[in-house]
Amino acid sequence: MKRFALLRDLWAFMLENKKWWLLPLILMLLLVGVLIVFAQSSAVSPFIYALF
């Protein structure tokens, strides 16, 4: 799948070069992105914006 090519390449880079410190960084960026998308269309958005 071309859709996940970037993630697959990033995972291969982390495996080959032992860059395990990137994994928590990427996971947190994905989590914040999902939180922002969820906050745009939810009644919980005022509470989520208060966190930042």
Side-chain angles (χ1 to χ4, degrees):
M1 285 183 136
K2 294 226 181 229
R3 176 179 280 180
F4 298 110
L6 178 65
L7 292 176
R8 193 176 324 117
D9 287 342
L10 190 58
W11 181 254
F13 171 78
M14 287 182 356
L15 282 176
E16 185 175 329
N17 295 317
K18 307 288 192 255
K19 301 288 185 184
W20 297 114
W21 56 271
L22 285 173
L23 188 61
L25 186 72
I26 293 168
L27 289 177
M28 288 306 296
L29 285 172
L30 288 173
L31 183 67
V32 168
V34 167
L35 187 64
I36 288 173
V37 168
F38 176 69
Q40 288 179 353
S41 63
S42 172
V44 191
S45 60
F47 302 109
I48 292 175
Y49 287 130
L51 293 174
F52 298 104

